[in-house]
Amino acid sequence: MAKHTVESCSKAKMAIRDTLDIVGGKWKLILISVLRSGKKGFNELSREAGISPRILSKELQELEMNGLVSREVCNTKPVTVQYELTDYSQTLNEVLLAMEKWGYLHRKKIVQGVE
């Protein structure tokens, strides 16, 4: 690992802040994780993620605005909307896998008291 300088720490802090501005919060990474299994309708996404429709709508708008989720209005009656991940969202795969791995290790440490 390279030695951190004031400048490299400042750049790293800015990059982390930028990332958290886009995917931070309680729901965004959960929604991305749920959508990794494929296209989902609004109600299905709400149910699988365990998120209220009002919050889901806000989170999806932000994810769409940042190019991570695409929205397709289907020509059905009543009108339905499908959401899916964009190609750009794949750039978060390593982040999600690292968080998943860390989450498993952390849960094991807490449950079993392993250091």
Side-chain angles (χ1 to χ4, degrees), residues 30 34-35 37 40 42-51:
I30 297 294
V34 169
L35 284 168
S37 64
K40 304 256 190 259
F42 186 87
N43 290 333
E44 181 182 12
L45 197 48
S46 176
R47 215 173 18 258
E48 285 190 33
I51 182 174

Side-chain angles (χ1 to χ4, degrees), residues 8 19 27 51 57 73 75 79 87 99 108 114:
S8 70
T19 302
W27 296 108
I51 182 174
S57 180
V73 178
N75 189 15
V79 172
D87 290 340
M99 290 180 75
K108 182 178 179 182
V114 176

Side-chain angles (χ1 to χ4, degrees), residues 72-82:
E72 178 189 352
V73 178
C74 302
N75 189 15
T76 58
K77 293 199 187 224
V79 172
T80 57
V81 180
Q82 294 280 306

Side-chain angles (χ1 to χ4, degrees), residues 36 64 71 76 80 88:
R36 290 175 87 193
E64 185 179 8
R71 177 181 187 269
T76 58
T80 57
Y88 181 59

Side-chain angles (χ1 to χ4, degrees), residues 29 45 53 102:
L29 290 175
L45 197 48
W102 186 86

